[in-house]
RNA sequence: GGAGAGGUGGUCGAGUGGUCGAAGGCGCCGGUCUCGAAAACCGGAGUGGGUUCGCGCCCACCGAGGGUUCGAAUCCCUCCCUCUCCGCCA
């Protein structure tokens, strides 16, 4: 959520900034609502003041043993007037709120303008895609050779966009997650957190998935309004919801390995083959809660934490700065890390690292108190994949495949694979 | 599933219709003392919002939402949550 004060005081420059990301803010509507709000709020508060004053007088008169009848008469229909005024005010405020919570974050000045992924700007590349002297198999074929990766089975058990992994591939998947967690906790200073995979509406509102993007979520049946998490960003970031953190404790660095559930509504027909786009996938997520003065340093740092995983796994990748049109709802700036996929002869997203600035913090009322500061201020929140485990698995299979279909385990990963150097096809 | 207890400020905790935004403790900030610190003592400070150039003034907030009343932390209703015991269970 944007700062409502900014939205009120300077809707024109807010609109200009939003226009960069293709969002048309109805400035006239904001102005009209704001004028009405001001009028109604002033009136309501005046009436409340009057009621309070009169009631106090009655109380005092009563305690002195005086007759309160004349005072009661003076109250008249104050209550009715107040009622209608506050009702109208609540309505206008709700309208304003509905508009405000649906507005995406303002892009940072350093974010390139653009419409879609075509306009993203490459920052740098790492590694060189391998030259293969045999016909490259994609991960679906590699995994399918001996039933280590079975999509048909998953379709029977559940439906489309699910996978069953078995044997060495299941182990490789597990090893990757463990490796990533250890890297983030032992080398990059994150605290490992185990979180619920089911969250409530408030949490999803806090990180920005609700109210606008409910279609992308799996909602559970039952009395409670519960949802499966689309990413560990939700439970991790909501740790600081409604909290005032001691400034000395910042930055908070937290990581979690969780499954992620996405309905992928609107993605029909895209990436239907293989495990690029699944309803359920594992991810190691990084979240930082930082002092606003340091959030862009933290963003660069987190990008490095994600890159370190790919480097250790010897997977070529590139980093792009998302353009204004391609950024997520709550992000002020986002880097995507895209891993090389030989079968597709292109780079595919494997991590997304974003600075949300105070966008989520304002929705969550996540604040901190700086040393010696009287007033709490909003924190900045950041999140990034470190990394998507499923996509990492398929990237590893494809990039490190051999002519016979076996897969070389990168050296850095072997300790998590019990020393296994190569996954043979039986 | 059954029975009970409870949700109050950064935190703990008092408060059952009228200057209660709320005692007290802890923690925090400032001061005195000290070479410095600790202790002790004195003082200060809730959060959000409106309005004003500003001092300030005003409004809301005691889990959430309704209701009763001139007036609600306090009474009534609905809901949510937490804890304890029993049952069941990984």
């Amino acid at each position: 959520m944007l700062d409502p004060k900014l939205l009120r005081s300077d809707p024109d420059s807010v609109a200009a900034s939003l226009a960069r990301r293709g969002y048309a803010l109805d400035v006239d509507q904001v102005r009209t609502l704001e004028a009405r709000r001001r009028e109604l709020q002033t009136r309501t508060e005046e009436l409340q003041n009057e009621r309070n004053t009169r009631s106090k007088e009655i109380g005092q008169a009563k305690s002195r043993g005086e007759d309160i009848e004349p005072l009661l008469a003076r109250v008249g229909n104050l209550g009715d007037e107040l009622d209608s005024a506050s009702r109208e005010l609540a309505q206008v405020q709700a309208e304003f709120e509905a508009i405000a919570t649906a507005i995406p974050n303002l892009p940072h000045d350093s974010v390139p303008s653009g419409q879609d992924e075509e306009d993203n700007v490459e920052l740098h590349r790492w590694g060189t895609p391998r030259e293969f002297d045999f016909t490259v198999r994609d991960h679906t074929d590699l995994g399918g050779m001996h039933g280590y990766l079975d999509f048909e089975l998953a379709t029977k058990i559940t439906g489309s966009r699910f996978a069953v992994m078995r044997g060495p591939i299941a182990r490789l998947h597990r090893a990757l997650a463990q490796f990533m967690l250890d890297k983030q906790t032992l080398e990059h200073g994150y605290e490992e957190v185990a979180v619920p995979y089911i969250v409530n509406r408030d949490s999803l509102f806090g990180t920005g998935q609700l109210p606008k993007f409910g279609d992308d979520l799996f909602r559970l049946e039952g009395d409670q309004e519960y949802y499966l998490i689309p990413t560990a960003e939700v439970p991790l970031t909501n740790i600081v919801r409604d909290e005032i953190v001691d400034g000395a404790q910042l930055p908070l660095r937290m990581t979690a390995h969780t499954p992620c559930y996405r309905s992928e509504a609107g993605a029909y027909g895209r990436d239907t083959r293989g495990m690029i786009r699944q309803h359920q996938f594992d991810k190691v997520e990084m979240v930082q809660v930082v002092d606003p003065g340091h959030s862009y340093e933290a963003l660069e740092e987190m990008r490095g934490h994600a890159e370190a995983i790919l480097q250790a796994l010897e997977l070529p990748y590139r980093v792009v700065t998302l353009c204004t049109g391609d950024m997520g709802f709550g992000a002020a700036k986002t880097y995507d890390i895209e891993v090389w996929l030989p079968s597709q002869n292109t780079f595919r997203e494997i991590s997304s690292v974003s600075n949300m600035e105070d966008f989520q913090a304002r929705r969550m009322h996540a604040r901190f108190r700086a040393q010696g500061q009287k007033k709490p201020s909003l924190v900045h929140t950041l999140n990034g994949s470190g990394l998507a485990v499923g996509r990492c698995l398929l990237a590893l299979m494809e990039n490190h495949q051999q002519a016979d279909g076996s897969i070389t385990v990168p050296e850095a990963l072997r300790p998590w694979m019990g020393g296994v150097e190569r996954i043979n096809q039986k």
Side-chain angles (χ1 to χ4, degrees):
Chain A
M1 194 159 70
L2 301 181
D3 184 355
K5 276 184 197 155
L6 183 66
L7 190 54
R8 284 169 183 155
S9 63
D10 197 1
D12 287 321
S13 62
V14 171
S17 180
L18 288 171
R20 276 223 302 145
R21 51 185 297 169
Y23 185 93
L25 179 69
D26 188 340
V27 176
D28 287 340
Q29 185 187 29
V30 170
R31 280 220 172 82
T32 310
L33 269 178
E34 168 59 7
R36 283 205 65 208
R37 189 225 97 230
R38 182 185 292 239
E39 184 193 320
L40 283 167
Q41 181 159 349
T42 312
R43 169 147 182 74
T44 305
E45 291 185 356
E46 274 170 9
L47 287 168
Q48 285 170 324
N49 182 20
E50 196 175 336
R51 181 202 58 195
N52 293 346
T53 313
R54 297 255 162 104
S55 295
K56 211 165 266 186
E57 284 169 9
I58 292 173
Q60 285 165 345
K62 213 173 166 186
S63 71
R64 286 193 300 264
E66 294 170 10
D67 181 18
I68 60 168
E69 277 308 316
L71 289 172
L72 282 177
R74 279 181 55 200
V75 175
N77 57 350
L78 220 164
D80 293 339
E81 278 183 67
L82 212 179
D83 242 34
S84 71
S86 56
R87 240 180 267 277
E88 266 189 87
L89 175 63
Q91 197 185 323
V92 170
Q93 279 174 330
E95 265 181 75
F96 192 90
E97 184 90 351
I99 293 170
T101 56
I103 299 175
N105 204 357
L106 303 179
H108 188 256
D109 285 343
S110 66
V111 174
S113 293
Q115 294 248 311
D116 50 38
E117 67 268 16
E118 296 298 312
D119 300 319
N120 295 340
V121 176
E122 186 174 308
L123 196 68
H124 62 251
R125 292 187 183 205
W126 184 92
T128 313
R130 244 173 90 195
E131 299 285 340
F132 292 89
D133 52 9
F134 56 89
T135 307
V136 172
R137 297 183 174 93
D138 75 359
H139 67 280
T140 309
D141 288 339
L142 285 167
M145 286 173 76
H146 298 283
Y148 293 153
L149 194 50
D150 196 329
F151 295 99
E152 282 177 29
L153 182 54
T155 301
K156 179 180 79 176
I157 297 170
T158 308
S160 63
R161 291 197 191 279
F162 287 89
V164 171
M165 291 174 274
R166 311 179 84 148
I169 293 299
R171 184 185 199 183
L172 184 61
H173 183 262
R174 171 164 57 92
L176 278 170
Q178 300 294 317
F179 164 74
M180 291 174 193
L181 265 185
D182 285 344
K183 194 107 177 152
Q184 304 305 358
T185 55
L186 302 177
E187 292 178 33
H188 299 155
Y190 289 77
E191 179 193 13
E192 181 173 351
V193 187
V195 292
Y197 305 155
I198 295 173
V199 292
N200 59 31
R201 160 167 275 275
D202 285 347
S203 291
L204 287 161
F205 177 84
T207 34
Q209 283 79 14
L210 290 178
K212 273 189 105 172
F213 307 102
D215 285 351
D216 299 329
L217 302 168
F218 282 110
R219 184 180 166 178
L220 301 180
E221 287 268 345
D223 297 340
Q224 308 287 352
E225 189 180 349
Y226 283 162
Y227 299 83
L228 295 175
I229 56 169
T231 158
E233 169 198 343
V234 178
L236 281 179
T237 310
N238 274 279
I239 285 174
V240 292
R241 169 153 58 84
D242 293 322
E243 299 288 337
I244 298 177
V245 182
D246 178 2
Q249 298 194 344
L250 298 180
L252 304 180
R253 295 192 183 89
M254 300 174 287
T255 186
H257 165 219
T258 72
C260 304
Y261 299 93
R262 299 185 183 178
S263 80
E264 297 297 342
Y268 300 109
R270 291 187 67 190
D271 300 314
T272 47
R273 181 178 162 85
M275 58 188 303
I276 282 268
R277 193 177 299 272
Q278 301 270 285
H279 287 312
Q280 171 185 309
F281 61 95
D282 280 38
K283 182 156 58 71
V284 170
E285 181 76 357
M286 309 176 279
V287 162
Q288 289 205 26
V289 176
V290 307
D291 181 298
H294 298 125
S295 63
Y296 280 92
E297 291 163 42
L299 180 67
E300 300 302 319
E301 182 186 298
M302 289 173 78
R303 175 169 59 73
H305 294 158
E307 289 185 48
I309 303 287
L310 290 172
Q311 291 179 11
L313 298 175
E314 302 164 46
L315 296 171
Y317 64 87
R318 65 170 194 163
V319 180
V320 298
T321 306
L322 294 195
C323 72
T324 50
D326 201 28
M327 278 199 304
F329 181 66
K333 181 169 185 174
T334 299
Y335 292 117
D336 269 10
I337 299 172
E338 301 176 339
V339 71
W340 178 256
L341 287 192
S343 68
Q344 299 190 3
N345 205 41
T346 186
F347 291 99
R348 293 301 304 258
E349 179 188 342
I350 194 165
S351 172
S352 190
V353 184
S354 302
N355 185 359
M356 317 305 257
E357 294 190 3
D358 63 12
F359 189 84
Q360 295 179 325
R362 185 170 291 106
R363 292 175 157 244
M364 293 192 302
H365 303 122
R367 295 166 296 170
F368 77 106
R369 206 186 303 271
Q371 190 79 38
Q373 281 275 305
K374 198 165 156 275
K375 288 267 172 196
S377 3
L378 295 171
V379 295
H380 278 193
T381 58
L382 301 97
N383 61 77
S385 356
L387 310 163
V389 181
R391 285 192 183 179
C392 194
L393 174 79
L394 72 90
L396 194 155
M397 289 170 73
E398 293 193 5
N399 280 282
H400 295 318
Q401 65 180 293
Q402 305 303 321
D404 63 357
S406 66
I407 296 153
T408 307
V409 177
E411 214 170 314
L413 191 62
R414 287 177 195 164
W416 285 265
M417 283 293 287
V420 169
E421 293 176 16
R422 171 188 277 228
I423 294 171
N424 293 308
Q425 297 288 19
K426 286 197 178 150

